[in-house]
Amino acid sequence: GRIPVAEVYAFGEFEGAVYQIQGFRPGVKLYTVWKDMQPAVQERIAAEVAQALRVLHGETFAQFGRGYEGAPFYEHWADFLDAKFQRTVDEIETLGIRMVPGIVEAAREYFVAHRQVLEGGVPTLVHGDLTLTNVLVNRGRLSAILDFEYALQAPRDYELWVMEAFCIYPN
């Protein structure tokens, strides 16, 4: 009730895919109208999204992880990312995806060498996929933030990485 979200009727994971079913909220996805908005409207919406993020990131937890029943939790963010990396490597091997020789090993060495930058931080509620495709606006105001199926108990800075990735690779 502290941020505009659509009611969630069901969510979870089924056969390795994450899903979420939400109720209807009026509005259009922000990416479809952003470039046509007046700067003052863009600033107001950005401020409303920032306020919603302050509320989300104000929720703290004891451990890092996906936050749903049955998901593993981790004392350190680096441990969460290490497990995620290993799942990705396992999936590459299972699917028989051909990689440049040595690339997985080089990625692992890089992770180990720079792991210290991932230490510390407080697990907060992070949307995990907050891009202009998951923000609804209606009449120049924030109408809803959608699609929390990738929400995490993660350092709040992780939210910025997702936004940056979207800005660099919007398609």
Side-chain angles (χ1 to χ4, degrees), residues 62-79:
Q63 294 180 303
F64 297 96
R66 290 270 174 220
Y68 56 85
E69 188 176 332
F73 290 94
Y74 303 87
E75 187 174 334
H76 303 285
W77 179 238
D79 295 336

Side-chain angles (χ1 to χ4, degrees), residues 51-126:
Q51 178 55 35
L53 285 175
R54 279 192 282 282
V55 170
L56 287 177
H57 299 162
E59 297 295 321
T60 60
F61 304 92
Q63 294 180 303
F64 297 96
R66 290 270 174 220
Y68 56 85
E69 188 176 332
F73 290 94
Y74 303 87
E75 187 174 334
H76 303 285
W77 179 238
D79 295 336
F80 172 85
L81 291 178
D82 189 44
K84 184 177 180 179
F85 178 81
Q86 190 55 52
R87 284 190 306 273
T88 301
V89 169
D90 293 346
E91 186 175 342
I92 289 168
E93 290 173 359
T94 299
L95 296 173
I97 298 172
R98 293 180 355 169
M99 303 287 289
V100 173
I103 192 75
V104 172
E105 293 77 12
R108 167 64 66 200
E109 288 173 18
Y110 184 87
F111 181 85
V112 169
H114 296 88
R115 182 182 173 104
Q116 74 278 0
V117 301
L118 301 171
E119 297 299 335
V122 175
T124 66
L125 179 57
V126 171

Side-chain angles (χ1 to χ4, degrees), residues 26-47:
V28 296
K29 291 193 174 193
L30 185 53
Y31 81 92
T32 65
V33 295
W34 180 261
K35 66 181 182 336
D36 297 324
M37 291 180 161
Q38 296 295 316
V41 176
Q42 289 176 332
E43 288 178 23
R44 180 176 56 239
I45 290 171

